[in-house]
Amino acid sequence: MISDITVIQQVVLLLKAKGIQNIIISPGSRNAPFSISINQDSFFKTYVVPDERVAAFIGMGMSQANGKPTALICTSGSAVL
């Protein structure tokens, strides 16, 4: 059985391998362990945006402006969609 910690570590390594540095976090209790892991790693540039829908639009704008992918950590699947 794979633990949640192992999954989080694998996702962090994958983001690094793909060179994804900009991470927008919409904090919530469901994503707290993942958000903390990302925020503690100096590789990532994190931005906290409490409203998940606004965070998605900011992420799209950042990606369009710098031509690089931006990751979004949130608790709502519909916000990302």
Side-chain angles (χ1 to χ4, degrees):
M1 181 175 183
I2 298 175
S3 72
D4 289 344
I5 294 170
T6 303
V7 172
I8 290 170
Q9 290 171 340
Q10 290 175 346
V11 171
V12 169
L13 289 173
L14 182 60
L15 289 169
K16 285 182 174 183
K18 296 294 183 180
I20 300 172
Q21 289 185 291
N22 293 322
I23 313 286
I24 298 178
I25 300 171
S26 290
S29 60
R30 292 182 193 168
N31 62 14
F34 187 45
S35 299
I36 291 167
S37 296
I38 292 289
N39 200 39
Q40 290 178 342
D41 193 318
S42 62
F43 175 80
F44 299 107
K45 298 173 188 167
T46 58
Y47 307 88
V48 177
V49 180
D51 186 288
E52 295 175 334
R53 290 169 293 178
V54 172
F57 284 113
I58 291 172
M60 287 190 310
M62 287 175 69
S63 292
Q64 289 177 342
N66 64 22
K68 298 178 183 178
T70 301
L72 175 63
I73 301 173
C74 66
T75 59
S76 169
S78 60
V80 177
L81 183 59

